[in-house]
Amino acid sequence: MSGRSAASRRTVLRGMALTPVAGLGLTACGGGEERPSRPTGPVELGAESEVARGSSKLYWDHNVVVSRDEDGSFTAYSTLCTHASCPINQLKGTKLICPCHGSEFDATTGKVLREPAVAPLIPLSVEVRNGTIVAKPQT
């Protein structure tokens, strides 16, 4: 007789009963939903006047943050966290805070202020057309 005991009928049936439940849990975590993405083409964000000099504005519905320097020039970044691609939904002053793992970024430079993210935010091109801020991928 080997040192291994045979699985009881109860253990086998319990494992069979839990397998579909585990599969549903994995499906719920990993699929079906559309993942947020950064702009793939030009996106009209809002009026130029929405971003005051020396401040930033989060356009969460487009995953973009726009900052305006004191000289009036604009910068823009994708607000998908570079750690796990979570959409950043909080802006305090010029600090972006990721809700997933607490990474923080400077909205004016895209630089990481707090890990776990280590890569800066992805910069976007930004311009003003007829008084409207437009962001797009850099070329």
Side-chain angles (χ1 to χ4, degrees):
M1 188 184 248
S2 72
R4 274 172 60 189
S5 62
S8 71
R9 183 171 189 257
R10 178 181 291 172
T11 302
V12 171
L13 291 174
R14 187 178 302 144
M16 288 172 56
L18 292 177
T19 300
V21 174
L24 285 174
L26 290 173
T27 301
C29 289
E33 284 185 33
E34 193 175 308
R35 300 250 340 149
S37 64
R38 62 181 182 261
T40 56
V43 179
E44 291 187 358
L45 299 171
E48 176 181 11
S49 60
E50 291 180 350
V51 185
R53 290 175 186 251
S55 70
S56 300
K57 179 168 172 68
L58 178 61
Y59 294 92
W60 59 268
D61 52 336
H62 294 289
N63 297 316
V64 173
V65 65
V66 175
S67 298
R68 191 173 193 179
D69 290 336
E70 292 296 338
D71 67 4
S73 62
F74 291 93
T75 55
Y77 295 92
S78 166
T79 57
L80 293 183
C81 182
T82 57
H83 172 248
S85 297
C86 293
I88 298 170
N89 62 3
Q90 189 175 19
L91 177 66
K92 288 186 177 179
T94 59
K95 181 173 32 173
L96 292 160
I97 304 164
C98 181
C100 293
H101 303 107
S103 293
E104 295 179 2
F105 299 88
D106 183 328
T108 64
T109 65
K111 291 182 180 177
V112 175
L113 300 174
R114 181 174 174 218
E115 295 182 354
V118 293
L121 294 173
I122 295 172
L124 302 170
S125 294
V126 63
E127 63 184 347
V128 177
R129 293 185 197 156
N130 300 319
T132 301
I133 300 169
V134 179
K136 63 182 180 180
Q138 288 188 341
T139 53

